[in-house]
């Protein structure tokens, strides 16, 4: 059975081994998501501990997709903390393990996290994603508006610069 849900701090901490595997698999698949190769699942532990800490402080909404209780996908919305942006969130780290792609999990993850962001008053969401990636192609299918490209913004996991494409969406 597949479940998509928002998780709390304790659930996030318990899910760290699975989240590490998902992150490492995506990086090995060529996704530019903040990290470089070589990258082993354990290299993501500090990052996911920080995310669990941010969930505890109320700064991040974390959603997961589980198949038979194992996390195979995730996405998050960081809640902008500036006093003049109480309505904004940053959509980040939409990740689906390669073994679970093409099943509609990313669409369901986006639906759930966007709805929760809207419920918390975050009606304007923004994201950036590697130009030329599969993810860049799918955000318009989810109703996101493409803003433009910043060249040479980051690097691919194996090296070499990649641009980033900016998107936004009004939700709620
Ligand atoms: C991008 C990613 C999350 C998609 O996950 P997924 O669960 O396989 O996607 P879904 O099955 O929900 O497909 C969503 C939609 O995109 C389409 N799609 C999926 N993969 C696609 C591809 N490679 N090219 C074009 N369209 C694609 C699907 O047809 C579907 O469209 P529809 O709902 O209108 O029919 C996944 O490929 C991934 O984790 N990539 C690596 C990490 C990454 O780059 N994340 C983005 C960080 S910003």
């Amino acid at each position: 059975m597949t479940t998509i849900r928002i998780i709390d701090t304790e659930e996030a901490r318990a899910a760290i081994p699975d989240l590490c595997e998902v992150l490492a698999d995506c990086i090995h698949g060529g996704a530019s998501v903040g990290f470089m190769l070589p990258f082993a699942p354990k290299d993501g532990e500090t990052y996911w501990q920080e995310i669990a800490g941010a969930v505890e402080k109320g700064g991040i909404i974390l959603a997961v997709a589980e198949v038979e209780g194992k996390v195979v996908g995730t996405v998050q919305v960081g809640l902008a903390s500036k006093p003049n942006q109480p309505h904004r969130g940053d959509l980040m780290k939409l990740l689906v393990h390669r073994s679970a792609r093409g099943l509609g999990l990313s669409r369901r993850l986006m639906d759930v996290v966007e709805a929760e962001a809207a419920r918390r008053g975050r009606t304007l969401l923004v994201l950036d994603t590697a130009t030329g990636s599969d993810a860049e192609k799918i955000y318009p299918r989810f109703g996101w508006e493409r803003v433009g490209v910043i060249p040479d913004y980051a690097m691919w996991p194996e090296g070499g610069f990649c641009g980033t494409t900016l998107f936004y969406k009004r939700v709620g």
Side-chain angles (χ1 to χ4, degrees):
M1 195 177 74
T2 306
T3 312
I4 312 285
R5 63 193 183 99
I6 307 292
I7 59 173
D8 65 20
T9 313
E10 291 316 309
E11 291 168 322
R13 293 210 165 101
I16 284 175
D18 287 353
L19 289 166
C20 285
E21 277 189 37
V22 172
L23 177 61
D25 180 75
C26 288
I27 294 165
H28 281 267
S32 175
V33 287
F35 301 94
M36 302 296 289
L37 288 170
F39 190 92
K42 66 174 173 40
D43 297 329
E45 274 175 23
T46 303
Y47 168 75
W48 288 114
Q49 289 286 2
E50 286 170 5
I51 296 303
V55 170
E56 188 164 36
K57 291 186 183 124
I60 279 190
I61 302 168
L62 183 62
V64 293
E66 294 162 309
V67 175
E68 310 299 345
K70 186 173 174 60
V71 173
V72 295
T74 182
V75 68
Q76 33 183 290
V77 170
L79 308 181
S81 58
K82 298 279 191 308
N84 72 343
Q85 299 172 18
H87 60 301
R88 195 178 68 73
D90 294 295
L91 189 122
M92 301 177 291
K93 297 282 186 293
L94 174 64
L95 306 168
V96 174
H97 195 285
R98 284 176 291 179
S99 65
R101 290 197 190 157
L103 305 174
L105 295 184
S106 76
R107 178 176 278 280
R108 292 173 62 192
L109 279 163
M110 294 290 279
D111 285 347
V112 166
V113 86
E114 287 174 15
E116 179 63 14
R119 197 184 70 76
R120 298 197 199 181
R122 302 297 170 146
T123 51
L124 178 68
L125 303 180
V126 302
L127 69 80
D128 61 76
T129 194
T131 306
S133 65
D134 288 345
E136 183 194 17
K137 297 186 197 96
I138 73 168
Y139 289 119
R141 300 175 80 96
F142 300 159
W144 286 69
E145 293 289 333
R146 188 176 181 278
V147 179
V149 172
I150 303 173
D152 297 346
Y153 185 83
M155 299 185 85
W156 296 108
E158 290 188 354
F161 289 112
C162 65
T164 198
T165 305
L166 305 178
F167 289 87
Y168 76 92
K169 183 176 181 180
R170 293 189 190 278
V171 296

